[in-house]
Amino acid sequence: MGALRLMLPLLVLLAAAARAVAAAGTRPSEVAVGALFTYDSTIGRAARLAVELAVDDVNADRTVLAGTQLKLITQDTNCSGFLGTIEALQLMEQNVVAVMGPQSSGIGHVISHVVNELHVPLLSFAATDPTLSASEYPYFIRTTISDYFQMNAVASIVEYYQWKEVTAIFVDDDYGRGGVSALGDALAEKRARISYKAAIPPNSNTDMINDVLFRANMMESRVMVVHVNPDTGMSIFSIANKLQMLARGYVWIVTDWLAAVLDSSASRDLKYMSHIQGLIVLRQHTPESAAKNKFISKWNNVARNRSITSGLNSYGFYAYDSVWAVARGIDQFLNSGQQINFSTDPRLHDSNGSTLQLSTLKIFDGGEQMLQQLLLANFTGLTGPVQFNSDRNLVRPAYDILNIGGSGSQLIGYWSNYSGLSVTAPEILYQKPPNTSSIVQRLHNVVWPGDSTTTPKGWVFPNNGQPLRVGVPIKASFKELVAGGRDPNNVTGYCIDIFNAAINLLPYPVPCQFVTIGDGTKNPNYDDIINMVAANSLDAAVGDFAIVRNRTKIAEFTQPYIESGLVIVAPVKQATSSAWAFLKPFTLEMWCVTGALFLFVGIVVWILEHRTNEEFRGSPRRQVITIFWFSFSTMFFSHRQNTVSALGRFVLIIWLFVVLIINSSYTASLTSILTVQQLATGITGIDDLISSALPIGYQAGKFTRNYLIEELNIPESRLVPLNTIQEYADALKRGPKDGGVAAIVDEMPYVDIFLSYHCNFRVVGQEFTKEGWGFAFQRDSPLAADLSTAILQLSESGQLQRIHDEWFTRPSCSSDDSEVGATRLGLGSFWGLFLVCALICLFALLLFFIRVCWQYSKYSNSEAAGEPSAADADAATAAADAAERQRRPSRLGSFKELIQFVDKKEEEVRRTMKRRSSEKDNQAAGSSDAQSAVSA
């Protein structure tokens, strides 16, 4: 058993070795892979040599495909979709297990259908069209960076410089359209957009390109994003230079095709370099490494030996890594025991008389397994990590951002999908959390076209001969704001003058054409005008447009040029005088409580002063009169009685303070009632207006109606539309009972104008909204921002106020600014003061009665001590004490005696107590002498 146990591991090793030998014996000695290029092209020249060098390196490496050689089969697609398809079919006839290429996105779309049917993985190192998706083409693998990421990099640059519109110049094929579509989506996320698409047909001549660029130059955007093919794209800049589109104020952002052209140019043509000064160019970022430098040196040596004049570009690096990805995938495929077999497709057969020989095309039986092995690639190549995410995109897309200047280019920053724009290499930022600081999101300084270092504004007013279509509402009234007739050139008013003044401050000419909206008899709907701007029927809307929430969702507004807010206007009437007007300041409850408090304080002071003050004594009739006279004379501070006790003076001081407040409030309220205008309807603010069921007027066409219905939940049946100032006045005069309105809700500027004509109405309450008036433009229009700056400049210079004064010079009604609708004062305004006064009076009474009880106790004791006569002196002390104790409770319990004691004068009580104390001392001395005599 022991020997058998020792032999088991040996048997296992022998079995594994046998399987390895068997597997090695079944591995093919050669595996064919294909490559599709356009040989005579910027990308093709660099990629073809890179692929050949990669195959040589793979075959020389013993750690990959040991015992198996890669056989490279290349075909020239001639940059033609038709010829590319034919070449791809010829390539498939040679039983290749994978194809690298093509470099054209258009050809990639066609060939992807072929490889899908034959189950042959297609690895493209240059087809960047984002629409080449794995969901539609499962056997397509992109081994370069998709234009989806490149367009996000472009959008980040646009956002960084705060541009809002770009012009897209692109080749009108799958590559160009796919890239521009991705650019539009990326810009939308940054709140920017493509304002004009300049599509250049493939294989266009100079005249066609000139026409496209000429039309693009007529547009307002000066930010040009160029996304074309590298072999024909340079002609764009020479034509643009003739059209003076590379002058100061222009911005050119070029995708990675131009970097490939510049890198591939062994000796850069100075003529072409002069046409591209100031451009921003993107290039796929490949980190520096020893392997990359070694490959560059090797590629240059071989190219020199083969007399290749073109240079190496970044696409060559991706082509090199694609070969290694294929080699590693094949190696894993073979190591898993898979066999390379091909089978015929019964659907592919030669028709009678056909020479296409479709039957020679075979399906790769292990295509699905090979595809999965390729997608599991995970190694570091010349371009960095070669690894695919769930969308089959490389995991770390990044770009260099270059600025063309002089005879070369300057690196001004990087973009990566991980951290956005930065001046730090992406491989360094990958070691840190994303966007750790806002400082990362920046670029170095740029020299723009025209040798300018000032960041261009990015747009100008369009030079296409079309003036700005400005909609102006023509209303039935309020002509001070906007007025006009059938002739749009005769539009005048406060709003028009501000708009013209702001336009004149712009650093560029803006021709305007006013479009009048409305017939002057009925107010147009302002929301409809804003919708016309949003629908591109108008370029702008100028007038008394309030900046409210629902409008800002569809249009762009300038800085407000005047403040505004909703207020309530109501009719007022003069208060009619009456014989009892003096009672109106206080309510009945207030009068009753005030009178009661006067009497209460008078009684309290009488109690506190009665024992010590002669003026508060006398007959009962006189004392009652004194109480009433003192109480009510304090209202006028004319009381003649003086207070001598400390508690009485304390209570009187507090009471006089209360009387002062009551007198002041009464005087103010009576003055207001007799002089201030009163509301005819009783509405004093927005709360009263909402809670009532009275009809409300509003200006037709304005946002007020929607605000009252949607925000304040006022039924529409209560709302009455009004158009003119006269309709305002008539509706308010008639009132709710005669078919008018109880109040009108409108914006403050309109109300000011209305009240300057009619003085028998007033604003009640406060403004219950806060907004302003501005000029409306289409969403993200650069004119809105520039006009906002101009409006601020008008405000700072004082011209905004001067324009206001010119149009609002009509004097207002001569009336005071007092609040309308003075109200009567009730107990609720004074109950706290009254409560404090009452508590102080009660506290003074409590102290007074405690002191009286204490005096009464001492007074009773002194009286009891003085009652025994000298005849009773010889009586027993015990009997006298007992009798004294029997008499004292009866006196203390006598309420009548207590009242009589309280009625006594303080001075009399003290004198009596002093006398009795002396008598007690004398009696004590006599008793002592008698006892001495008896003892003797």
Side-chain angles (χ1 to χ4, degrees), residues 831-852:
W831 71 267
L833 187 64
F834 287 173
L835 179 62
V836 170
C837 181
L839 291 177
I840 290 175
C841 290
L842 293 175
F843 178 70
L845 288 176
L846 179 63
L847 292 179
F848 173 77
F849 282 115
I850 291 175
R851 183 172 178 273
V852 167

Side-chain angles (χ1 to χ4, degrees), residues 155-168:
S156 295
I157 296 173
V158 171
E159 180 191 36
Y160 178 78
Y161 292 108
Q162 300 181 1
W163 299 315
K164 293 299 181 182
E165 295 184 354
V166 305
T167 294

Side-chain angles (χ1 to χ4, degrees), residues 99-100 121-127 132 134 138-146 149 318-319 321-329 370-381 383-397:
V99 177
M100 290 163 289
L122 178 66
L123 292 82
S124 179
F125 53 84
L132 281 167
Y139 280 85
F140 175 82
I141 303 175
R142 195 193 322 271
T143 55
T144 188
I145 305 176
S146 170
F149 300 104
Y318 287 99
D321 286 348
S322 299
V323 175
W324 275 96
V326 169
R328 293 175 185 273
M370 178 67 74
L371 177 65
Q372 297 305 320
Q373 293 297 338
L374 291 172
L375 293 176
L376 293 176
N378 187 2
F379 66 95
T380 301
T383 59
V386 179
Q387 186 180 356
F388 302 101
N389 59 20
S390 58
D391 296 326
R392 297 189 184 181
N393 289 313
L394 293 176
V395 292
R396 291 186 176 180

Side-chain angles (χ1 to χ4, degrees), residues 636-689:
F636 311 102
F637 305 99
S638 60
H639 51 283
R640 293 177 298 177
Q641 294 80 3
N642 294 320
T643 54
V644 296
S645 66
L647 289 176
R649 289 176 177 177
F650 176 65
V651 170
L652 185 60
I653 290 174
I654 299 300
W655 174 241
L656 291 178
F657 175 73
V658 174
V659 169
L660 176 64
I661 295 177
I662 293 175
N663 281 344
S664 301
S665 302
Y666 176 85
T667 302
S669 180
L670 181 61
T671 303
S672 175
I673 289 174
L674 295 179
T675 60
V676 176
Q677 293 172 317
Q678 301 295 303
L679 293 172
T681 59
I683 295 175
T684 59
I686 186 63
D687 293 332
D688 292 339
L689 189 64

